[in-house]
Amino acid sequence: MVLGVVVVLAGAAILWLGIKASILQEELTAANRLIPPLQERVSQNKPAEAHAVLKSIQAHTSAAKHAANDPLFGLAATLPGVGQNFSSVSEVARAADDVANLGLAPLVEIFGSLNWNGLLPTGTGTDLSSLQEAAPKVASSAYAVRESAQRLNQIDSDHLLPQIAVPLEQARGQLNDVTGRLDAAADASRVLPTMLGAEKPRTYLLMIQNNAESRASGGIPGALALLGVDQGKLVLTEHSSASKVGIIVPTIIVDPQQQQIYSSRLGKYMQDVNLTPDFPTAAITAQAMWERKTGLRVDGVISIDPVALGYILDSTGPIQLSDPALVALADGGLPTELNGSNVVQTLLSDVYAKIREPKDQDIYFAGVAQEIFAKLSNRNENAQALLNAVTRATREGRVLVWSSLTNEQSLISKYPLSGSITGPSVAPAEFGVYFNDGTGAKMDYYVKRTVQLVKGCPRDGYEQTTVRITSTNTAPADAATSLPAYVTGGGVFGVPPGHVQTNVVAYGPVQAQVETASVEGQKTEFAPHIHSSRPVGVLAIRLAPGESKVVEFKFGKIVQHTEPNVVVTPTVQDVKDVTLPTQTPACS
């Protein structure tokens, strides 16, 4: 009789636990499905609808937490063997509820209270106080979510049932992703107002990188300007060019490792400060050159390229050239209306055919940039479109920022926006492929490239990866005569007109080794270097019109057992067309 009662009670307990587990799974799944709609409402600037979705998420996470707090469920968590599965599910439920209430709720409240269009740069200034006031709340939300993520990361999943381990890993991934986004939002809310002149006016050196002549971080910084910012008001002044800066004597001191790789030209010519892919080095050098040339010290350096300008024009609408000097220069056949569709071809190709004098090309380049920034300074009612444009350009490495203030730069250095090749913004198993023009001309507009990582099977406990770079010169067969000498270089630097010479630079992860290099499958000599504990291989290739070549660098002794990624010099091409998916072999 007693045994029967025990069996009945045990069966009832198991049934009850099953019901609670089912509730947990259903509620957490329902909450998870609402995350994309919440993000969509936020991206569409619909605060009321975002708040309604949040309420539904909170209802589901609350129900899951209530089920996890059931006394019988708590008792089951103490059982030997299977107990850890119950305790892990309970922790996931509590973490989800914390995220909904402590993380998402304050953010949705902030989102609803901010006037996003009012935060856009204008010609009269911007009220940045609301963003400053939001900073502590964003930081608090980031902290709450980070704590929940750390609790889940501490759970040992090795002995959990698959039904528990898989959702746990998914929850960890989602929380870690949300944590990263919230940390970024917290940092942005702290640093953006001051960098936009909330406390005192700022002045930045604006470098417009010209992708038609490759440099490691994008292109030669031909056009320069001073960007003044005061309470969000943007003013572009002091147009100049790298050639006007002239030769710097004595040269700016650059660390010996980079000088060995990229030569003393780094500190001698403004055109070459970004031969190095490390943007903080390029920016510090550019700041020093500008100060020596003008006597003016800037608060930071911002870099942007014509492709990014195209993204911005897609969001703001076209610009009409109004400066009489620009209109006169365009009279030779260039458009007087520039938009997201024609600005890249105009600035990186057509300008050289229509405007033959380099100084006039620089004037046109800088003038167009001023017109675009003037457009930015007018009230634009589509804040989300502009934000998306800048976000895309930043993600592709087309917008880079360096601040001379240590506290600001320490925050910037955590993100790819910094353009750093070392430090917190660099992934553990990160490779880098960078291009430096060796033609001395504007032929990179015609070069199409792809970059692919090819993973090898582990050897002696180390990872192996080959970096494969395919380059094609798409210039017309008669490029030597059909293209202007300013574009082809005219053979001045020893490269036949129409041909393209490129110094290909490949970086591996920290402590790895560059073992071999090949061109078209034939092993070749290369220059091995070290930069901040990262291995570097450098070799030069030359392409005739229509010619393609495949370069491979084989990296070994890779100690990072994580998924590799690759960062590539932003070119005229769409990044998604350049970076191919990683190729993974079947290893026994």
Side-chain angles (χ1 to χ4, degrees), residues 102-107 110 136-146 182:
L102 302 179
L104 296 180
L107 287 180
I110 293 168
K137 293 182 180 179
V138 178
S140 177
S141 295
Y143 175 80
V145 175
R146 192 184 311 112
L182 284 176

Side-chain angles (χ1 to χ4, degrees), residues 492-509:
V492 172
F493 294 98
V495 179
H499 290 58
V500 182
Q501 184 156 308
T502 305
N503 294 314
V504 182
V505 185
Y507 278 62

Side-chain angles (χ1 to χ4, degrees), residues 312-395:
I312 291 172
L313 287 180
D314 278 334
S315 70
T316 63
I319 58 168
Q320 297 285 342
L321 299 185
S322 57
D323 186 326
L326 291 182
V327 174
L329 287 172
D331 193 47
L334 295 175
T336 55
E337 178 181 285
L338 291 173
N339 53 54
S341 300
N342 68 8
V343 68
V344 173
Q345 181 176 329
T346 299
L347 293 181
L348 298 184
S349 179
D350 294 349
V351 68
Y352 303 115
K354 308 299 183 181
I355 303 176
R356 296 307 177 105
E357 287 295 325
K359 65 179 181 63
D360 289 336
Q361 295 164 2
D362 290 337
I363 291 172
Y364 185 82
F365 224 100
V368 168
Q370 183 176 27
E371 296 276 5
I372 293 175
F373 273 84
K375 179 81 172 180
L376 273 177
S377 294
N378 294 326
R379 176 65 68 195
N380 186 313
E381 296 304 326
N382 196 344
Q384 191 60 50
L386 179 57
L387 179 62
N388 290 342
V390 175
T391 299
R392 179 183 178 186
T394 302
R395 185 173 61 246

Side-chain angles (χ1 to χ4, degrees), residues 88-322:
S88 297
V89 171
S90 296
E91 194 60 61
V92 171
R94 295 187 186 99
D97 198 52
D98 285 348
V99 169
N101 290 284
L102 302 179
L104 296 180
L107 287 180
V108 171
E109 179 185 349
I110 293 168
F111 162 72
S113 64
L114 288 178
N115 177 11
W116 293 98
N117 288 324
L119 291 174
L120 288 175
T122 70
T124 57
T126 300
D127 181 11
L128 299 169
S129 60
S130 60
L131 189 58
Q132 289 177 300
E133 292 169 1
K137 293 182 180 179
V138 178
S140 177
S141 295
Y143 175 80
V145 175
R146 192 184 311 112
E147 286 293 301
S148 297
Q150 289 176 353
R151 293 204 308 269
L152 293 192
N153 289 335
Q154 291 171 357
I155 297 174
D156 182 4
S157 59
D158 291 343
H159 304 293
L160 297 180
L161 295 172
Q163 301 94 313
I164 306 300
V166 172
L168 174 62
E169 289 305 314
Q170 292 174 341
R172 281 173 171 168
Q174 290 169 343
L175 266 187
N176 289 331
D177 179 61
V178 171
T179 299
R181 292 173 183 268
L182 284 176
D183 284 341
D187 288 340
S189 63
R190 287 170 57 191
V191 76
L192 268 179
T194 56
M195 292 193 72
L196 289 174
E199 297 177 358
K200 63 179 182 178
R202 294 289 187 91
T203 301
Y204 300 97
L205 178 63
L206 179 68
M207 299 195 317
I208 304 177
Q209 297 199 42
N210 186 332
N211 314 88
E213 185 172 348
S214 288
R215 291 292 186 269
S217 62
I220 187 171
L224 306 172
L226 286 185
L227 177 62
V229 186
D230 185 7
Q231 293 293 332
K233 178 182 178 180
L234 304 181
V235 179
L236 205 60
T237 62
E238 197 73 29
H239 299 150
S240 187
S241 66
S243 59
K244 285 185 179 179
V245 174
I247 301 174
I248 302 299
V249 180
T251 59
I252 306 297
I253 301 300
V254 180
D255 79 79
Q257 286 186 334
Q258 294 187 74
Q259 182 166 309
Q260 184 182 38
I261 302 171
Y262 303 106
S263 82
S264 61
R265 295 178 66 88
L266 277 178
K268 191 173 184 178
Y269 302 100
M270 181 69 81
Q271 296 94 322
D272 293 329
V273 294
N274 57 341
L275 286 171
T276 173
D278 189 58
F279 186 70
T281 298
I284 291 170
T285 308
Q287 180 200 46
M289 288 183 177
W290 185 262
E291 182 177 9
R292 188 177 294 183
K293 177 69 177 180
T294 66
L296 301 174
R297 187 171 182 82
V298 294
D299 297 305
V301 179
I302 299 173
S303 172
I304 194 168
D305 73 6
V307 179
L309 294 178
Y311 297 161
I312 291 172
L313 287 180
D314 278 334
S315 70
T316 63
I319 58 168
Q320 297 285 342
L321 299 185
S322 57

